[in-house]
């Protein structure tokens, strides 16, 4: 199958407009701070199979949810990440684009959510899931590694919960079972293998024309982020011996940078910003999957 046919098959898959727009704003529009004209956004998303009314509806919904901000200049509407949306993106981007899995410090973070009402508990669990937390019980969230990044989330949500540091081994031989319960490791393994089966053959293909490069780039990141944001990045000792997550990250990085230059060339001719020209091949885009300093800065900003 040619890359053009493969790209058409990817964009023909059922996909939620809202989810794909979040991928687009995060991967493409986050590299600049100038709002984008909705008309040009509609044109670009049309190449991914989204009709105009779906793009408008999804943008309006994301604005109502606080992810995007919009304003009008004359008869034109412009959109960009809100402060909330930018923070959420930075937390997710570290997980998506980090060059490698961080070394484990030998500790677990244990958070008790008892006392929170159901809506706040659900939102806390959703947002902390992007930081690698999983549910180990009705009122318990756990993560491999101990850090302070969860504090930004709890502060933003206005919740106070007990947090403990547990040393590896303190949870006993149940650690492996805990991992399977909290993060559905078997499902995650299958998802990574499906990703590899879908994209691995493309590593041997030449770079396609710019429009196809853009389609492939965005669908690659869309498919990859939906998996990696459910991956708690567990210690190697607690993962299956044939863990496919490492190869998936390597493949995503390889294909992303293969398609990025032509993709940005295509976008530069189509995206209209409120001010200035499209910053093709920005340092932020070039540093993804490669620059550990850049990804650490994302955590500090979040």
């Amino acid at each position: 199958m040619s890359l053009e046919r493969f790209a058409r098959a990817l964009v023909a898959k059922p996909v939620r407009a809202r989810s794909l727009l979040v991928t687009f704003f995060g991967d493409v529009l986050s590299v600049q701070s100038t709002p984008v004209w909705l008309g040009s956004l509609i044109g670009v998303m049309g190449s991914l199979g989204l009709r105009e009314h779906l793009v408008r509806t999804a943008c309006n919904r994301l604005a109502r949810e606080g992810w995007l901000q919009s304003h009008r200049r004359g008869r034109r509407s412009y959109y960009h990440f809100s402060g909330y949306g930018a923070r959420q993106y930075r937390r997710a981007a570290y997980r998506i684009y980090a060059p490698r899995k961080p070394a484990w410090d030998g500790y677990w973070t244990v958070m008790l959510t008892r006392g929170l009402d159901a809506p706040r508990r659900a939102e806390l669990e959703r947002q902390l899931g992007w930081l690698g937390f999983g549910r180990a019980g009705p009122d318990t969230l756990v993560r491999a590694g101990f850090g302070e990044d969860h504090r930004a989330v709890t502060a933003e949500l206005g919740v106070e919960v007990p947090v403990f540091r547990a040393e590896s081994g303190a949870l006993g031989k149940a650690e492996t079972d805990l991992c399977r319960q909290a993060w559905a490791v078997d499902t995650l393994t299958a998802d990574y293998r499906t990703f590899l089966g879908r994209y691995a053959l493309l590593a041997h293909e030449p770079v396609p024309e710019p429009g196809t490069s853009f389609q492939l780039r965005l669908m690659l990141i869309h498919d990859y982020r939906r998996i990696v944001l459910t991956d708690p990045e567990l210690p190697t000792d607690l993962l299956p011996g044939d863990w496919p997550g490492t190869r998936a990250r390597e493949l995503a990085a390889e294909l992303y940078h293969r398609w990025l230059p032509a993709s940005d060339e295509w976008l530069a001719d189509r995206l209209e910003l409120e001010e200035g020209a499209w910053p093709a091949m920005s340092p932020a885009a070039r540093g993804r999957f490669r620059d550990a300093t850049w990804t650490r800065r994302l955590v500090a900003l979040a």
Side-chain angles (χ1 to χ4, degrees):
M1 179 185 294
S2 69
L3 285 179
E4 288 74 14
R5 288 180 60 193
F6 182 85
R8 287 197 297 271
L10 280 179
V11 301
K13 294 189 306 177
V15 63
R16 294 170 57 205
R18 177 190 176 280
S19 180
L20 193 58
L21 271 170
V22 169
T23 299
F24 182 82
F25 270 86
D27 188 65
V28 175
L29 295 177
S30 65
V31 301
Q32 49 81 34
S33 57
T34 301
V36 64
W37 174 43
L38 177 59
S40 66
L41 178 61
I42 288 170
V44 167
M45 299 308 289
S47 73
L48 297 167
L50 295 187
R51 296 182 179 180
E52 178 177 348
H53 77 279
L54 291 175
V55 178
R56 290 183 181 274
T57 300
C59 283
N60 286 333
R61 179 182 174 189
L62 288 166
R64 289 196 306 270
E65 294 172 350
W67 280 82
L68 302 181
Q69 286 183 337
S70 68
H71 68 274
R72 295 185 67 86
R73 175 177 284 189
R75 300 181 64 182
R76 289 187 165 192
S77 295
Y78 292 86
Y79 282 87
H80 62 99
F81 266 140
S82 66
Y84 168 81
R87 289 192 299 274
Q88 297 297 329
Y89 157 71
R90 287 192 291 264
R91 290 167 187 159
Y94 175 72
R95 302 287 309 286
I96 298 167
Y97 303 110
R100 63 189 64 85
K101 182 171 71 174
W104 188 36
D105 61 5
Y107 290 93
W108 295 91
T109 303
V110 182
M111 179 180 294
L112 304 182
T113 61
R114 183 178 303 167
L116 296 181
D117 57 46
R120 287 199 296 175
R121 184 188 295 118
E123 181 62 15
L124 179 65
E125 183 175 339
R126 185 185 71 83
Q127 292 201 28
L128 289 179
W130 294 353
L131 299 180
F133 282 85
R135 182 191 291 186
D139 303 309
T140 306
L141 300 176
V142 296
R143 179 183 67 177
F146 189 80
E148 301 295 327
D149 51 347
H150 61 274
R151 296 187 183 277
V153 177
T154 55
E156 189 172 273
L157 296 178
V159 301
E160 294 185 8
V161 291
V163 178
F164 305 94
R165 183 174 70 169
E167 190 171 1
S168 175
L171 301 180
K173 72 180 188 64
E175 282 186 338
T176 301
D177 293 337
L178 171 69
C179 294
R180 292 184 179 275
Q181 171 189 333
W183 295 286
V185 171
D186 293 341
T187 299
L188 193 58
T189 299
D191 289 343
Y192 273 131
R193 286 176 176 162
T194 297
F195 176 86
L196 289 169
R198 179 175 295 151
Y199 288 99
L201 292 178
L202 304 189
H204 306 290
E205 297 290 337
V207 177
E209 56 88 22
T212 300
S213 289
F214 164 70
Q215 293 175 324
L216 292 171
R217 162 197 173 178
L218 200 74
M219 295 309 298
L220 171 84
I221 291 299
H222 186 67
D223 287 343
Y224 183 65
R225 83 166 177 89
R226 294 175 68 189
I227 303 172
V228 78
L229 291 182
T230 67
D231 185 345
E233 297 180 330
L234 293 169
T236 302
D237 291 348
L238 299 177
L239 290 169
D242 56 347
W243 179 242
T246 302
R247 174 55 186 146
R249 181 174 293 276
E250 293 170 350
L251 179 65
E254 178 183 352
L255 293 178
Y256 185 81
H257 285 285
R258 177 174 301 186
W259 297 328
L260 182 63
S263 170
D264 261 11
E265 174 189 329
W266 187 83
L267 287 166
D269 291 335
R270 287 161 179 82
L271 281 180
E272 293 187 37
L273 306 180
E274 186 174 27
E275 297 177 2
W278 173 249
M281 287 300 291
S282 70
R286 291 197 301 269
R288 287 167 174 164
F289 294 106
R290 292 176 172 174
D291 186 349
T293 302
W294 176 78
T295 51
R296 283 196 297 270
R297 284 200 301 269
L298 283 174
V299 174
L301 289 170

